[in-house]
Amino acid sequence: MDEPVSHVLDNGVSSGLTLNLHPLAILNISDHVTRDRLTGSKTKITGALLGTQANRQVAVVNTFELALVADVDEATFDQDFLERRKEQFKQVFPTLDVIGWYSVGATPSDEDLRLQEQFSGLVETPIFLQFNTDIPAGAKDLPLTLYESALSEGKDAEAGAKFVKLDYGVETGEAERIAVDGAQRGGMGARDESQVVGSLVTQRNAIRMLYERIEVLSSYVHAVSEGKAKADHNILRQISALLASLPTMDAAVFKAELEDEYADVQIADTFNSLTKQLNALSDYTDRHHVVFPTSSQDDYGPPGARGGKGFDRPEALAGGRRRR
Amino acid sequence: MAGPPQQAEGSGSAQASGSSTARKTFELNNDVQVADPSDSLFAYSRDEERVLEDAAPWKKDPHYFHTVKISAVALIKMVTHARSGGAYEIMGVMYGKVRDGVFWIMDAAALPVQGTETRVNAGNEAFEYMVNFQTANNEVGKDEMLRGWYHSHPGYGCWLSGIDVNTQMTNQSFNDPYLAVVIDPNRTVSAGKVEIGAFRTFPEGYEAPQTSQYQSIPMDKIEDFGVHANSYYPLKVEIYKTRLDEQLLDLLWNKYWVATLSQSLISSNRAYATSQLADLGAKLHSAPLDASAKLKKKDEGVEDDATPLNQATQDSVRINTELQNGMTAQVIKEKLFNGKLDAEGARKAVLGVL
């Protein structure tokens, strides 16, 4: 697989797609890799990327495994299988299309290039995701690289098709984020964990991440101002732009909305307190009723507990006060 | 509300991250075992499983299955599918293995079934789809058996309705071992934690031990819940992940912590929270009528711990906790990003360097 020529254009111009990966897609590939490792299959790991594309925004939402047909020594995608699977997923997730494919490895190989060419015939400008199973200890980035085919013009066209790297981000839907959190912490059944604590821990962890990143920026700015680090104007401009955007949202409308929201929640809280008091009072009357039972003929409930109805019926009052 | 600055990301990755420490603490607190269960799971062959199937210990012991372990992928697939259905119920199937009283759910797949707000049922097309889907699974080496079905209860909790009980009973008589999983996507999002239940029904005529547990169920469903609550039992739900999943989840957190800060629970749950309050109102409204009936019962020596008012109060506490959690997050963000920062001064400092 180690080819002397790199298939990646280092300074190639990408089409400027904004690319977002969903955790489900990433974990699905992980699952495929693990399954492949443990079942010891001999074929190359390949699969299709399912997602959406709106203008220049691409989201990779899900994936499914693909089959290869071994042709003498050149494996190709099983097109019939791809079509069938595509159709199946279309039925349940009509908004998702096949937008690319994935495989494993550190850098694109000859075979990847060939498969990309074949895939280009099936899907317009496919994205190629390469998963590097060899995750170095202490890695900070996901072991994934995304490519698209370079627009071959002039000299490059002669050199043959090449890959261009694409930047990507990670995006989650709300339910997806919660499910990922759940998977991360394991058990679901534990109901004793305080919801408030759980929610605060999540917030704290996110704020800690934010804080760590701000600290990096701050120490960089300090180092530059002390002449210890080289000033990268691009980074400094970005930091400046970032600061200029604070406060993020100071429109009066937003403030009013937030205050309304706050008041609503506090009203709900008051109602909750009232309900709890009502419940406590009801429990108390119940207990009182056990200690001082009324006669069972009294259909009006215990005197006192029902706003003094017992006074109209002296016999009930007398009966109700009998001590045990 | 705009998310926190993206620019902080790239340059921050050089820093030794404290996220793993935070996560470790969290896992320690939550008693998460990190082992690679998939090693032994894949080693457990179809032949070994068939031996168990032939012995069918679940036929003799209705409580044979006690736990379900769901893979991270299967969980995320089911939850996102449930959420995508919106107000409508969705349905799908699960693939996996059975071993030692445990269901291992390794994968899940959606079914092309259109449900309504209160029910979902699979027709013939769905069965055909199911068969074709599994055939395709086998072609790429996924040879796990069909081990159950899942569906969603948007906003009304994880339990089996009368129809669900019938469906599950049929499946247990013809496709056993078979598991029923219910997911509530609305409560998942409002509580910030996956609301999921796994159930198996008892054989007909079996006298189940009486259990009562607090379940928040909307007024119009209470009867359906009460009538069938003793025809099935819940299994313990656990999530497992492979070592590779583990590594990826770690790295993912480095990327998506931003989402925690940029999402607003209150605004995404507004409709659901309102419906919850309306339901609570209805429950409280009907409680006084029941109270007098309850007193009569007490006179007859019948004890009932779960009074309607009691239940409503628990609902109220739950709704309020969720609202407060959402509000706390909002206030934190307000302080973080809208505070009266000395932005001018900080900017001048940066511009001075430039």
Side-chain angles (χ1 to χ4, degrees):
Chain A
M1 289 284 201
D2 281 280
E3 70 290 337
V5 195
S6 163
H7 292 300
V8 182
L9 280 184
D10 287 332
N11 47 5
V13 184
S14 77
S15 54
L17 290 176
T18 313
L19 209 63
N20 276 310
L21 293 183
H22 278 253
L24 174 58
I26 299 170
L27 290 173
N28 221 8
I29 299 173
S30 155
D31 185 65
H32 189 180
V33 171
T34 307
R35 177 186 298 270
D36 189 78
R37 177 172 61 84
L38 293 170
T39 52
S41 93
K42 292 281 181 291
T43 51
K44 185 180 170 70
I45 295 176
T46 53
L49 304 175
L50 277 172
T52 55
Q53 174 159 15
N55 300 322
R56 311 304 294 158
Q57 299 266 352
V58 177
V60 181
V61 179
N62 202 347
T63 67
F64 59 82
E65 293 84 354
L66 282 179
L68 291 177
V69 220
D71 243 356
V72 198
D73 51 5
E74 289 202 344
T76 53
F77 287 116
D78 184 341
Q79 292 195 24
D80 167 60
F81 181 80
L82 173 64
E83 284 305 319
R84 258 191 298 145
R85 265 273 133 125
K86 215 166 102 180
E87 200 41 54
Q88 284 171 355
F89 276 92
K90 201 79 201 165
Q91 276 189 55
V92 280
F93 301 110
T95 54
L96 301 185
D97 288 310
V98 173
I99 54 167
W101 64 291
Y102 68 82
S103 186
V104 294
T107 51
S109 65
D110 293 339
E111 192 177 28
D112 292 331
L113 203 60
R114 225 190 41 250
L115 288 172
Q116 170 81 353
E117 264 169 52
Q118 193 202 346
F119 218 87
S120 304
L122 309 170
V123 175
E124 217 176 308
T125 57
I127 291 159
F128 170 50
L129 184 155
Q130 195 165 41
F131 185 101
N132 190 355
T133 44
D134 189 19
I135 306 174
K140 287 286 166 287
D141 284 322
L142 288 165
L144 309 168
T145 324
L146 284 116
Y147 301 96
E148 64 176 353
S149 297
L151 303 165
S152 12
E153 275 174 39
K155 273 190 295 176
D156 290 340
E158 287 157 35
K162 295 232 175 191
F163 285 115
V164 182
K165 254 189 213 181
L166 289 168
D167 282 338
Y168 67 90
V170 171
E171 184 182 68
T172 59
E174 228 154 354
E176 190 179 21
R177 182 178 63 78
I178 294 162
V180 171
D181 271 352
Q184 208 162 24
R185 69 184 76 157
M188 295 273 115
R191 291 195 170 268
D192 47 331
E193 181 203 324
S194 157
Q195 263 204 25
V196 182
V197 173
S199 148
L200 287 177
V201 166
T202 315
Q203 297 284 336
R204 189 195 62 189
N205 288 348
I207 292 169
R208 179 179 296 163
M209 288 297 269
L210 177 66
Y211 180 75
E212 280 171 9
R213 278 149 168 73
I214 291 175
E215 258 198 338
V216 174
L217 291 182
S218 141
S219 60
Y220 173 68
V221 171
H222 274 291
V224 171
S225 64
E226 286 163 16
K228 285 186 205 146
K230 213 172 128 253
D232 182 324
H233 292 265
N234 199 16
I235 293 176
L236 290 174
R237 244 192 311 277
Q238 282 184 19
I239 296 174
S240 161
L242 178 64
L243 289 172
S245 70
L246 288 171
T248 315
M249 193 74 85
D250 58 354
V253 188
F254 177 79
K255 277 257 163 357
E257 181 83 6
L258 185 68
E259 268 160 31
D260 276 1
E261 202 105 76
Y262 189 79
D264 284 352
V265 173
Q266 297 320 314
I267 288 173
D269 189 50
T270 308
F271 281 141
N272 181 43
S273 304
L274 286 174
T275 313
K276 283 204 301 210
Q277 285 172 24
L278 196 63
N279 185 38
L281 189 64
S282 156
D283 272 354
Y284 172 73
T285 51
D286 283 359
R287 279 176 199 157
H288 188 271
H289 182 70
V290 172
V291 181
F292 305 109
T294 56
S295 73
S296 51
Q297 287 84 22
D298 180 7
D299 287 338
Y300 291 90
R306 297 287 291 181
K309 274 202 176 107
F311 285 113
D312 301 335
R313 302 170 45 143
E315 74 283 0
L317 189 63
R321 291 294 180 211
R322 215 182 310 125
R323 269 170 201 274
R324 253 193 196 152
Chain B
M1 188 162 185
Q6 296 283 347
Q7 287 95 323
E9 277 232 328
S11 17
S13 55
Q15 164 97 337
S17 112
S19 74
S20 65
T21 340
R23 249 177 43 63
K24 293 274 147 55
T25 322
F26 193 86
E27 295 198 336
L28 214 62
N29 291 342
N30 289 279
D31 191 26
V32 173
Q33 284 133 22
V34 185
D36 202 339
S38 35
D39 284 351
S40 57
L41 191 56
F42 280 107
Y44 179 58
S45 72
R46 183 75 195 103
D47 290 338
E48 287 174 82
E49 196 183 21
R50 209 167 274 132
V51 174
L52 181 69
E53 269 172 44
D54 290 341
W58 45 86
K59 287 218 171 92
K60 278 160 241 129
D61 178 8
H63 288 275
Y64 175 75
F65 288 106
H66 50 82
T67 305
V68 51
K69 292 179 191 265
I70 303 175
S71 76
V73 196
L75 178 79
I76 298 170
K77 278 184 189 171
M78 293 192 283
V79 171
T80 48
H81 183 209
R83 184 67 177 167
S84 74
Y88 297 111
E89 289 195 13
I90 53 84
M91 183 177 166
V93 285
M94 305 184 291
Y95 301 98
K97 298 185 175 183
V98 285
R99 185 181 202 177
D100 304 330
V102 175
F103 276 94
W104 291 84
I105 300 302
M106 300 162 73
D107 201 4
L111 285 182
V113 176
Q114 180 65 60
T116 69
E117 286 174 16
T118 51
R119 66 164 64 188
V120 61
N121 240 324
N124 281 335
E125 317 87 73
F127 285 118
E128 198 187 318
Y129 180 89
M130 223 150 86
V131 171
N132 290 336
F133 196 89
Q134 200 168 358
T135 314
N137 270 356
N138 290 339
E139 284 176 51
V140 286
K142 287 181 147 180
D143 54 358
E144 290 82 40
M145 303 293 288
L146 185 64
R147 284 301 177 219
W149 63 301
Y150 69 89
H151 73 291
S152 62
H153 278 183
Y156 53 96
C158 299
W159 47 280
L160 295 185
S161 70
I163 299 170
D164 300 339
V165 167
N166 279 336
T167 310
Q168 177 61 14
M169 267 186 181
T170 315
N171 278 320
Q172 276 184 222
S173 13
F174 297 106
N175 300 320
D176 225 19
Y178 214 79
L179 181 72
V181 161
V182 183
I183 289 171
D184 186 334
N186 293 10
R187 284 193 189 170
T188 294
V189 172
S190 77
K193 127 178 188 302
V194 181
E195 286 289 324
I196 187 171
F199 308 99
R200 274 178 64 82
T201 48
F202 293 121
E204 233 160 316
Y206 176 81
E207 280 287 326
Q210 295 276 329
T211 50
S212 86
Q213 239 191 344
Y214 164 68
Q215 265 266 30
S216 172
I217 288 153
M219 281 285 272
D220 54 338
K221 307 261 191 236
I222 283 181
E223 204 179 323
D224 195 8
F225 169 73
V227 172
H228 302 283
N230 284 317
S231 7
Y232 58 91
Y233 71 96
L235 280 78
K236 191 165 176 264
V237 179
E238 286 174 11
I239 309 303
Y240 77 89
K241 51 197 162 168
T242 66
R243 230 175 275 131
L244 188 56
D245 288 345
E246 179 88 9
Q247 281 176 303
L248 289 170
L249 284 168
D250 243 337
L251 294 170
L252 261 175
W253 170 246
N254 277 333
K255 289 256 181 200
Y256 85 80
W257 58 274
V258 179
T260 314
L261 285 177
S262 60
Q263 279 162 349
S264 163
L265 273 180
I266 290 196
S267 53
S268 55
N269 280 327
R270 192 162 286 136
Y272 178 60
T274 310
S275 75
Q276 289 273 285
L277 282 172
D279 181 58
L280 177 61
K283 278 179 184 165
L284 284 173
H285 193 73
S286 71
L289 291 170
D290 293 334
S292 55
K294 185 195 67 187
L295 282 179
K296 238 192 239 165
K297 261 204 207 159
K298 275 239 165 81
D299 283 343
E300 290 152 16
V302 182
E303 275 291 337
D304 189 5
D305 280 341
T307 67
L309 190 56
N310 237 313
Q311 299 267 6
T313 309
Q314 292 197 53
D315 280 2
S316 166
V317 171
R318 187 176 55 79
I319 296 166
N320 188 51
T321 312
E322 284 168 12
L323 282 174
Q324 290 291 352
N325 281 345
M327 202 61 231
T328 311
Q330 288 296 83
V331 171
I332 290 174
K333 277 185 281 189
E334 167 76 9
K335 291 272 176 253
L336 271 180
F337 303 115
N338 283 350
K340 283 265 176 278
L341 231 172
D342 185 15
E344 248 337 282
R347 225 171 101 204
K348 275 194 191 117
V350 177
L351 288 175
V353 177
L354 278 172

